[in-house]
Amino acid sequence: MIYLDNAATTRRKPQPVIDAVVKAMTTMGNASRGAHDSALEASRAVYETRCKVARLFGCTRPDHVVFTCNSTEALNIAISGTLNDGDHVITTDLEHNSVLRPLYRLEEAGTISLSFVPADWRGQVNYDDFAALIRPETRAIVCTHASNLTGQMIDIARVGALAKERGLLFIVDASQTAGCIPIHMEDMGVDVLCFTGHKGLMGPQGTGGLCIREGIEIRPFKVGGSGVQSYRKEQPEEYPTRLEAGTLNSHGLMGLSAALDFIQEIGLETIAAHERAMMARFYEGVRGIEGVTVYGDFSSAARTAVVALNIRDYDSSEVSDELSQAYDIATRPGAHCAPRMHQALGTTEQGAVRFSASWFTTREEVDAAIQAVRELAE
């Protein structure tokens, strides 16, 4: 299979990731749930993973790295745990439903009001719109770092500077950029960074988390077992236990830890350059094919390794299925959980076929995908 659906999940994992998960499943106890060797080993290993995540993202305190099942859970925790009655929130048309639905739920409950920075037909935003939407009751800006549909990136350092200047909370969805694009929370003014482990970080599914700037208070989204302060009626107040009720996916986190080591060894910039080169090759190969429409603005280098396209007026699911059945090429069709972005692009009915690269994508695979698109268009 030629796997070009890495924006959904990286299918090929580094071998050390697989080895780490297998080892953990045969040796590891429950972190923070005992004083025997297996439990202590798990506790130490999980803490070491927190330290690695903190270093990668410029989070000043490892104990403010909270692990979750994925970025959806992390975003629900961050959004539900910081917003209050009467708050106004600014977000964008680029957002995934992992951001939109938690915000919509609070809006429909009458808790918050919501404003959107629009995207144009290329998927770009006007940064002046962020400032123009700020009201006296504005509490937070919540936005993605990059669109999962077009790969278009938002300059979060620029938005973070505005948020800091105006005293706003800044929550970032890094689902598409963690492990692919350098992120430094302190330098970029990010208060809460939400990430998933199974995409650019090349770790197992069922891993993710949020990094929280010191001084940011988040109410628990769920409560329960913590392994400490068991006689309290309330969830412990200290991070990360405050937001980590229940047993962690320690086996998966050991895979994530190995993935972070792999990224450190190769170099994040090296990985990012390879992925962008593969998608640039694909874009150059398909953009001139008659009947092919490519979405997004490719004049800027600030983008992830994603190309979304359609072939004539064919339904995107039909094209993706043909790519799979006839060419053994894996892509993602449809709405991509990004309804407002499709509205901006004018692809609500047709959807789009998304091609996305990883560190393991080869030039030969890209060229085969170009040829397949050419043949289908003809």
Side-chain angles (χ1 to χ4, degrees):
M1 173 188 289
I2 296 175
Y3 187 82
L4 293 174
D5 193 21
N6 293 281
T9 192
T10 47
R11 179 172 177 265
R12 183 175 176 185
K13 308 295 184 183
Q15 188 59 44
V17 172
I18 299 167
D19 294 341
V21 173
V22 172
K23 180 181 178 182
M25 292 184 72
T26 58
T27 63
M28 186 170 284
N30 198 336
S32 302
R33 301 301 197 278
H36 53 82
D37 288 345
S38 292
L40 293 175
E41 178 189 354
S43 297
R44 287 190 289 266
V46 168
Y47 180 73
E48 288 173 4
T49 308
R50 295 190 205 278
C51 293
K52 293 175 184 179
V53 171
R55 285 195 296 270
L56 180 66
F57 296 133
C59 181
T60 58
R61 293 189 56 167
D63 62 340
H64 280 46
V65 174
V66 173
F67 289 124
T68 63
C69 293
N70 44 52
S71 55
T72 297
E73 184 180 16
L75 286 159
N76 272 271
I77 291 170
I79 290 168
S80 299
T82 57
L83 300 179
N84 304 299
D85 285 345
D87 285 344
H88 172 247
V89 179
I90 297 169
T91 187
T92 81
D93 280 348
L94 278 67
E95 305 308 314
H96 188 278
N97 276 335
S98 295
V99 169
L100 294 176
R101 284 176 173 163
L103 290 174
Y104 285 149
R105 182 168 65 175
L106 291 176
E107 182 186 40
E108 290 171 4
T111 303
I112 66 169
S113 56
L114 195 57
S115 295
F116 288 87
V117 172
D120 63 21
W121 62 273
R122 303 170 303 166
Q124 293 282 31
V125 298
N126 183 339
Y127 289 93
D128 292 338
D129 289 341
F130 284 95
L133 290 172
I134 295 175
R135 309 173 188 171
E137 68 272 23
T138 303
R139 162 68 171 149
I141 298 174
V142 185
C143 76
T144 188
H145 192 187
S147 166
N148 71 314
L149 175 55
T150 66
Q152 224 70 54
M153 288 179 59
I154 288 179
D155 185 346
I156 58 172
R158 183 172 179 178
V159 179
L162 172 67
K164 184 176 182 180
E165 176 189 332
R166 304 296 287 271
L168 305 178
L169 184 69
F170 187 32
I171 300 172
V172 172
D173 174 11
S175 300
Q176 293 295 316
T177 54
C180 304
I181 304 295
I183 300 171
H184 194 284
M185 290 179 61
E186 288 294 305
D187 293 348
M188 294 177 168
V190 176
D191 292 309
V192 184
L193 184 80
C194 301
F195 67 94
T196 194
H198 69 100
K199 298 186 181 187
L201 288 172
M202 296 184 280
Q205 294 180 6
T207 61
L210 55 164
C211 300
I212 306 164
R213 184 176 62 79
E214 189 169 10
I216 301 298
E217 299 297 326
I218 301 179
R219 297 182 296 273
F221 187 68
K222 58 182 180 180
V223 296
S226 61
V228 296
Q229 301 180 22
S230 294
Y231 290 101
R232 284 182 55 125
K233 293 182 178 180
E234 304 81 17
Q235 189 73 9
E237 296 179 359
E238 298 79 11
Y239 287 123
T241 311
R242 178 196 297 196
L243 304 179
E244 287 183 348
T247 294
L248 290 172
N249 178 14
S250 298
H251 301 155
L253 291 176
M254 292 310 92
L256 179 61
S257 179
L260 292 166
D261 291 341
F262 181 83
I263 291 171
Q264 178 69 26
E265 180 181 351
I266 301 297
L268 194 149
E269 293 282 6
T270 301
I271 292 171
H274 172 78
E275 292 180 357
R276 285 195 298 264
M278 293 301 98
M279 278 297 97
R281 184 181 184 89
F282 179 75
Y283 169 71
E284 291 298 331
V286 300
R287 69 186 182 99
I289 298 174
E290 183 180 355
V292 173
T293 302
V294 181
Y295 302 98
D297 182 1
F298 286 81
S299 64
S300 171
R303 55 179 303 105
T304 58
V306 168
V307 176
L309 58 79
N310 276 314
I311 298 177
R312 305 190 189 280
D313 60 352
Y314 292 114
D315 184 83
S316 61
S317 295
E318 184 179 356
V319 173
S320 185
D321 186 61
E322 186 68 12
L323 285 167
S324 177
Q325 297 300 319
Y327 298 93
D328 202 22
I329 297 173
T331 59
R332 171 77 184 276
H336 308 88
C337 302
R340 296 185 69 95
M341 194 62 166
H342 276 286
Q343 291 169 9
L345 298 175
T347 53
T348 303
E349 295 300 322
Q350 190 177 14
V353 183
R354 183 185 66 191
F355 297 75
S356 49
S358 82
W359 168 248
F360 294 105
T361 301
T362 67
R363 295 174 61 177
E364 291 76 17
E365 290 175 328
V366 169
D367 291 344
I370 294 169
Q371 182 60 27
V373 171
R374 180 177 293 110
E375 290 178 9
L376 291 179
E378 291 172 351

